[in-house]
Amino acid sequence: MMRFLPHPLLTPILAAVWLLLNNSLAPGHILLGLLLGWAIPWFTLRFWPERVRIHRPMKLLRFVAVVLYDIVVANLVVARRILGRPERLRPAFVSVPLSLETDLAISLLANTICLTPGTVSARLAPDRKCLLVHGLHVPDAEALVAGIKARYEAPLKEVFEAC
Amino acid sequence: MLEVVLSFLILTGAVFTFIGSLGLARLRDFYTRLHGPTKATTLGVGSLLIASALFFGTRGEGVSLHEVLVTLFLFITAPVSAHLLAKAALHLGLRSLAPVPEEPAVPPDGNPEAHPGHKQH
Amino acid sequence: MLNLVLPLAFTLVALAVAMNFWRLIRGPSLPDRILALDTLYVNTIALLVLLGIHLASALYFEAALLIALMGFVGTVALCKYLLRGDIIE
């Protein structure tokens, strides 16, 4: 099983992408998609050393919903900041201590931070203990860090690194 | 009814796209400029693409889900390019309105595994 | 109603593209120009999608998808050049 299907999650995702790309649900396309979904992870095995494991799928869905909601809010907030007076902005670099360890969880956190209210992740410390974040308007740096940790990091940790 | 929803989505998309680019043109240092395009354009283009999926899906030629793929792709890639641009700017030591923290001792590129989005397609 | 909204949307996105060009020309730094290019390709996708709705033709999605792919690869390559080019020297 492990040898023939190295990434069981990737196969249905790749098949779904193939079906979307062709915009069809014909049996031939489903078969071809599954074949590609099996073959691509198998041939690119060396680029994917770690196995992805989702511990709590419902938590992940909830996390996705929270992030989608935050994206809409982020857009409204950033739009208002852009239209306001630029002199009033107080940008700042804030460094967020990380408790996540796996590559996937850290990259997902960095991506989430980029998509949500007025923050862009800028640099990961070489020892992966700390993520540098640039905020567009930061009146209170500690509240920002606490918000990121509670809202995004905690669910990611539960989903991908549950003990 | 459908036309109202479509018009609303198209207008929202266009307005957000415009505001994102306005931020790019108007704000005063690179790091703040980075925020406008990455955020506003993802939602802007996202809602335009949803409008288009609705438009083609309701014309009687079957469901059209191509657009979902483009939206998904944009949502995955936009933060990655924003992160890389911020990293490049820090590396070049661009002038910033906010105090820039110290460069770490090890070159920031020492660990190629550490880029977000590196392995999630 | 769509006939009214579409020209407005075209105008807004075209203005956005014009502002991107302004930033592309003015700079002042390299990452600024790369960011302008990045935004330019996203806005081009928006224009193409609008054109697809306007002409009621689904053909433009392949183009939009290709622009999204190529634009992302281009941005990443340019950033990598900025990050690495200095180290090699």
Side-chain angles (χ1 to χ4, degrees):
Chain A
M1 182 70 185
M2 285 277 283
R3 266 187 68 193
F4 291 107
L5 208 62
H7 292 285
L9 276 177
L10 201 56
T11 304
I13 294 177
L14 281 174
V17 167
W18 176 258
L19 290 178
L20 281 178
L21 203 56
N22 282 295
N23 213 0
S24 97
L25 268 178
H29 275 304
I30 294 178
L31 203 65
L32 195 53
L34 285 176
L35 191 71
L36 282 172
W38 167 76
I40 291 173
W42 203 70
F43 282 120
T44 56
L45 195 54
R46 309 186 72 188
F47 298 109
W48 302 71
E50 72 182 48
R51 276 174 76 85
V52 175
R53 205 164 275 183
I54 293 177
H55 296 277
R56 301 214 184 142
M58 286 320 286
K59 269 258 151 124
L60 185 65
L61 280 183
R62 206 173 145 257
F63 176 73
V64 171
V66 166
V67 169
L68 281 180
Y69 171 76
D70 280 358
I71 287 172
V72 176
V73 174
N75 276 286
L76 293 174
V77 169
V78 170
R80 214 184 56 217
R81 299 266 154 76
I82 288 172
L83 292 175
R85 302 242 312 264
E87 299 83 25
R88 291 243 186 96
L89 290 179
R90 223 173 298 146
F93 283 98
V94 178
S95 115
V96 180
L98 288 178
S99 61
L100 297 172
E101 273 149 22
T102 57
D103 283 348
L104 182 79
I106 293 179
S107 36
L108 276 180
L109 179 69
N111 275 8
T112 314
I113 288 174
C114 277
L115 280 173
T116 47
T119 47
V120 169
S121 64
R123 187 169 63 199
L124 185 66
D127 59 357
R128 304 183 178 206
K129 290 275 159 55
C130 202
L131 186 69
L132 190 67
V133 171
H134 182 267
L136 181 58
H137 180 72
V138 188
D140 182 1
E142 285 183 9
L144 181 70
V145 173
I148 288 174
K149 285 191 84 74
R151 209 170 161 82
Y152 310 125
E153 193 182 9
L156 277 176
K157 193 163 176 67
E158 263 185 70
V159 170
F160 291 103
E161 296 182 359
C163 356
Chain B
M1 185 57 208
L2 176 75
E3 225 176 84
V4 175
V5 176
L6 269 181
S7 309
F8 175 73
L9 280 173
I10 290 175
L11 208 58
T12 324
V15 167
F16 272 116
T17 313
F18 176 76
I19 290 177
S21 300
L22 188 69
L24 177 74
R26 186 162 178 236
L27 296 179
R28 293 188 306 167
D29 79 330
F30 174 74
Y31 301 98
T32 51
R33 267 176 227 143
L34 194 54
H35 288 275
T38 49
K39 303 239 165 47
T41 48
T42 40
L43 188 74
V45 178
S47 65
L48 277 178
L49 284 163
I50 293 169
S52 150
L54 264 180
F55 179 74
F56 288 108
T58 51
R59 280 165 56 84
E61 293 153 17
V63 193
S64 163
L65 288 174
H66 262 169
E67 295 84 351
V68 179
L69 206 61
V70 185
T71 320
L72 217 64
F73 188 78
L74 275 180
F75 270 69
I76 293 173
T77 57
V80 178
S81 38
H83 175 88
L84 270 175
L85 276 166
K87 202 166 161 178
L90 277 176
H91 182 70
L92 294 178
L94 284 195
R95 190 188 66 85
S96 162
L97 291 175
V100 183
E102 292 285 303
E103 183 91 359
V106 184
D109 218 16
N111 190 353
E113 300 267 306
H115 301 311
H118 193 77
K119 40 174 70 175
Q120 59 172 23
H121 291 266
Chain C
M1 190 158 170
L2 215 53
N3 296 340
L4 219 92
V5 168
L6 268 177
L8 195 62
F10 269 117
T11 318
L12 281 172
V13 180
L15 277 176
V17 169
M19 284 189 293
N20 293 341
F21 268 115
W22 187 74
R23 181 54 73 193
L24 186 65
I25 291 164
R26 179 141 184 276
S29 63
L30 275 177
D32 272 310
R33 296 203 161 98
I34 300 176
L35 180 62
L37 272 181
D38 189 71
T39 321
L40 199 59
Y41 91 73
V42 177
N43 288 350
T44 315
I45 295 172
L47 269 182
L48 268 181
V49 171
L50 280 175
L51 193 65
I53 296 177
H54 179 63
L55 298 178
S57 146
L59 277 178
Y60 290 91
F61 289 110
E62 321 291 324
L65 195 61
L66 274 179
I67 290 178
L69 284 168
M70 293 300 161
F72 173 64
V73 172
T75 310
V76 169
L78 285 170
C79 287
K80 272 286 163 197
Y81 170 71
L82 285 189
L83 277 167
R84 286 258 165 84
D86 223 308
I87 292 172
I88 291 168
E89 280 172 7

